[in-house]
Amino acid sequence: MTAEETATERARPEPIKAVPVRHPGRWVAVAVLAVLAAMFLHVLLTNDAFQWSFMIDHMFRPPIIDGLVRGTVLMTVSAMLIGVALGVVVAIMRLSPNPILRSVAWLYTWFFRAVPRLVLLAVFGNIGILWNRIEFGVPFDTHIGKLFGIDGLELRLFGFDSRDLLSGFMAGLLGLALSEAAYMAEIVRAGIQSVDPGQTEAAGALGMTRAQTLRRVVLPQAMRVIIPPTGNETIAMLKDTSLLMYVPVSMELFFQLDAVGKRTFQIFPMYVAACLWYLLLTSVLLVGQYFLERHFGRGYGRTGPARFRLRGAAPAGDGGGARDTEAIP
Amino acid sequence: MTGATIPAQAARPAAAPKVMVRAENVHKSYGHVEVLRGVDLEVRSGEVCCVLGPSGSGKSTFLRCINHLEKINAGRIWVDGELIGYRERGGKLYELREKEVVAQRRSIGMVFQRFNLFPHMTVLENVIEAPVRVRREPRAVARERGVELLDRVGLAAKLDAYPGQLSGGQQQRVAIARALAMQPKVMLFDEPTSALDPELVGEVLDVMKGLARDGMTMIVVTHEIGFAREVGDLLVFMDGGVVVESGPPREVIASPRHARTRAFLAKVL
């Protein structure tokens, strides 16, 4: 007690005033970067190949905006929706105690992660060559018919012309969504595995089934780990929609910009326009990702925001009273 | 609980109450390591059984076998006369389906060393989750009983707090309330105070003493000799995967018959 008192009574020493460490290297770096930036600006402003006025005139034309909205943006959203949903399913299959589901999931992720997206899209764009029509019904019906001596037995419910179903947008969507599902499956799996096994045990001890445990206990906690890489995947997906050119899908931003460039023999300015468009779009997504991460990082006991909530919490009403404020390790 | 059993509250009736948990020659191994090498145990309804032993003696593993969190390799375990994890028919054992295993666990409450509360749910949500999802109780009913249980463990003021905002002792008391919400026939405690700061141990033990007084059948793996002596009806000392010695706690603690028990008690007392 007395030692404490004397400690508070002692005069506070003069604050430290020391000469800070010098960083001459930083000034050199600034000088070098300034020169490089000046050179870059100089090229931008003086080189005629940029054709700035032509570019600005053409990059907002209706077909390009159309391709942006109904191609790039719509494709990104739908491919991610399917990709995330299917990815969760594949991840759960991969972690299932059922060895058949496990191997199917493994095979799926192996295939779709091993084939480059560009190649995958080219394949899906031409997959219509395998069938003229895609029909749903009893598999191997004609073969079964032959076994029983019936020629041309057809047990089909409905079908589509494959050129309608599997070309352009649908083929592109299928390629991007299926490939995305494989990457999302790995992300979701990592998220699920990051949750303390004690959580599953506690839920099991309470009599919850595997499905209930997953839905109510494990997945909500895995979200914190799943969300940030999913944001990255969305940004990557937005950029990868430019690969749709190889399906080919014409209603798409890069295809349209490229077409204008080729038609007007001003290819380079339109490629610069593409850079600017993608920069703008991904920047919007980056802002969205920031807020999403902030939202999902919340409410998790030991992280920052919970401390603030604790300070505002009502005074403890139980025996633990005084200890409550130091509850957080 | 149910009227089917002899009223346990009636302060130890003259006729011995029925056996609640029975283990017979239980073996468990992980690969080549044999953790349990023939454990026998009999706990009667309303009894508090404390399991003591050095770490690695298999006491936690044994506890986890009782609600089938671990599959046993040999032997049998019955809870309230029901064989755990298997069905025996015509001298043959059939593994139970997930649904059946889960149904058995409903009547076996468990409290873990590290609490294992659900961090994304509030205290009350933690307590009513299983009654609502598993027992399909109406939310209002579950809520009412949840509040009652949390009041019983002294946490009525913390209903809407998240586990991360509570001290270890408070979290463990929530965990006890969560297990009680399923109205179990038996409660298993796996070193419930081992992860707590010494000053928080008392509040958890007090709740457990209250439970014992109310006639709950309890199996407690613990290092709290004082608790075992005061509350326990039966003390089991395990070492090397077998029960070395068992009996009334006061007798075993005061005059252990076995050398290993003596050596262990000499170290912890």
Side-chain angles (χ1 to χ4, degrees), chain A residues 276-289:
Chain A
L276 294 177
W277 267 123
Y278 285 112
L279 269 173
L280 176 77
L281 293 169
T282 47
S283 304
V284 170
L285 287 183
L286 278 172
V287 173
Q289 187 185 12

Side-chain angles (χ1 to χ4, degrees), chain B residues 41-91:
Chain B
L41 183 75
E42 213 175 82
V43 180
R44 291 178 179 280
S45 182
E47 271 186 343
V48 175
C49 165
C50 292
V51 185
L52 256 64
S55 53
S57 59
K59 50 195 196 310
S60 282
T61 305
F62 174 62
L63 200 69
R64 295 158 57 83
C65 289
I66 297 176
N67 67 354
H68 207 53
L69 278 180
E70 305 282 352
K71 273 186 191 171
I72 58 177
N73 301 109
R76 301 274 191 281
I77 296 175
W78 292 268
V79 172
D80 200 18
E82 204 177 330
L83 184 63
I84 292 297
Y86 303 91
R87 180 185 302 113
E88 204 160 16
R89 222 172 28 206

Side-chain angles (χ1 to χ4, degrees), chain B residues 99-139:
Chain B
K99 274 215 162 74
E100 299 165 305
V101 171
V102 150
Q104 289 186 332
R105 284 185 186 149
R106 280 173 211 175
S107 51
I108 308 172
M110 185 158 194
V111 173
F112 299 86
Q113 183 178 352
R114 307 213 52 88
F115 331 133
N116 295 347
L117 292 177
F118 307 135
H120 58 298
M121 298 182 192
T122 64
V123 164
L124 185 62
E125 284 167 354
N126 262 281
V127 173
I128 67 173
E129 176 69 16
V132 169
R133 305 274 154 191
V134 179
R135 289 168 60 101
R136 306 256 166 232
E137 281 177 28
R139 226 183 160 72

